[in-house]
Amino acid sequence: VQYDELDYHPAERAEHFVLGFEHLFGNGLSLRAGGYHKRMSKLQDEYYSFHDIDEFFPEARDDLVQLSLHGGTSRGIETYLTYDTGNRLSWWFSYVLSEATDDVAEIHYNGILEKKTGDLPRAWDQRHTLNIDVNYRLNDAWHFNVTWKQRTGWANTDFTVGRLQREDGSFAYYQKRGVFRGTRVPSYQRLDVRVNRHFYTSQGKISVFLHVINLLNHE
């Protein structure tokens, strides 16, 4: 057993407050907008990998961070606009302004790290999120779709590589990390394109598609 995790923890607590508005314009346009506020408490310790925040088994990594949290907060405003009259062209647009923070009580890390506690951005916090999706139905057989999305970069912890010289003249290298979640990676954007071909038979419909993800090869 690692990290002294020997017991089941009590359930975490989350309180949600949501306010929404929806309007149909009658010409194919519809608008949905809303705001939300979420408070989280009784949070369990969080395990986090510096190099890969999506790591399914972060405890297997040598860059493991254990966070003890007082709580967390997530809040934002969302807008969603759609257009669809049943004709060839349809589209939807969404924009989200949001903030997600952790109230960090303590940071456990074996390496060199400038630890900062208190309200810090969560690993997946992104202030701005924009999505645009356009569909074109040439006929019942051919459908085309283009999607573009952009978001603010996630929180990041910078690092440099240090060097120590051993007595035999060789060198040892180590990572020295800056302020925990003190910077952000650049914003992210992606363009996806999809072509759908439908075949109709007496038994139903068969669909095949070509889907190109990240057409512009943006990192």
Side-chain angles (χ1 to χ4, degrees):
V1 179
Q2 302 184 63
Y3 315 115
D4 297 323
E5 293 287 352
L6 302 175
D7 302 310
Y8 288 106
H9 295 275
E12 298 179 334
R13 179 185 176 91
E15 297 176 283
H16 299 258
F17 302 90
V18 181
L19 178 65
F21 167 82
E22 187 170 357
H23 181 70
L24 303 177
F25 290 93
N27 57 355
L29 278 175
S30 64
L31 171 67
R32 187 170 72 238
Y36 65 91
H37 186 94
K38 177 180 178 181
R39 293 197 303 245
M40 294 161 284
S41 59
K42 300 181 180 179
L43 298 182
Q44 302 174 17
D45 285 0
E46 174 184 318
Y47 294 95
Y48 170 82
S49 169
F50 277 121
H51 292 298
D52 188 359
I53 61 176
D54 291 321
E55 172 62 52
F56 193 69
F57 294 107
E59 62 272 17
R61 301 290 294 265
D62 62 357
D63 60 343
L64 182 71
V65 179
Q66 180 185 2
L67 301 181
S68 297
L69 305 173
H70 289 306
T73 302
S74 179
R75 57 188 177 183
I77 299 174
E78 302 177 343
T79 57
Y80 183 67
L81 183 66
T82 65
Y83 172 79
D84 190 357
T85 60
N87 294 321
R88 290 185 174 182
L89 182 66
S90 63
W91 52 263
W92 62 266
F93 164 90
S94 70
Y95 170 73
V96 180
L97 174 65
S98 63
E99 180 184 45
T101 59
D102 284 326
D103 185 0
V104 179
E106 193 172 357
I107 301 175
H108 308 275
Y109 179 61
N110 291 330
I112 300 174
L113 170 67
E114 293 185 35
K115 299 178 181 180
K116 181 181 179 181
T117 57
D119 287 332
L120 300 178
R122 305 199 82 187
W124 293 275
D125 172 61
Q126 51 197 57
R127 191 72 70 248
H128 304 281
T129 306
L130 177 68
N131 291 280
I132 300 175
D133 187 283
V134 179
N135 296 280
Y136 183 75
R137 297 180 284 263
L138 180 62
N139 48 47
D140 289 341
W142 290 96
H143 292 181
F144 303 90
N145 173 260
V146 177
T147 302
W148 182 70
K149 59 184 64 181
Q150 183 168 4
R151 62 166 171 78
T152 305
W154 291 337
N156 184 52
T157 305
D158 287 334
F159 76 93
T160 57
V161 177
R163 185 175 74 167
L164 292 174
Q165 187 172 16
R166 302 186 180 96
E167 293 182 359
D168 61 2
S170 63
F171 293 94
Y173 297 87
Y174 63 94
Q175 292 185 0
K176 179 180 180 182
R177 301 193 174 273
V179 178
F180 182 72
R181 295 183 185 171
T183 61
R184 288 186 180 270
V185 297
S187 62
Y188 176 74
Q189 59 176 305
R190 197 178 87 193
L191 178 68
D192 301 341
V193 176
R194 178 171 174 139
V195 180
N196 299 274
R197 177 67 165 95
H198 305 303
F199 300 90
Y200 297 89
T201 71
S202 60
Q203 302 298 318
K205 183 174 72 172
I206 300 174
S207 299
V208 295
F209 64 88
L210 173 65
H211 193 181
V212 182
I213 298 175
N214 195 16
L215 181 65
L216 302 180
N217 196 32
H218 194 278
E219 294 184 354

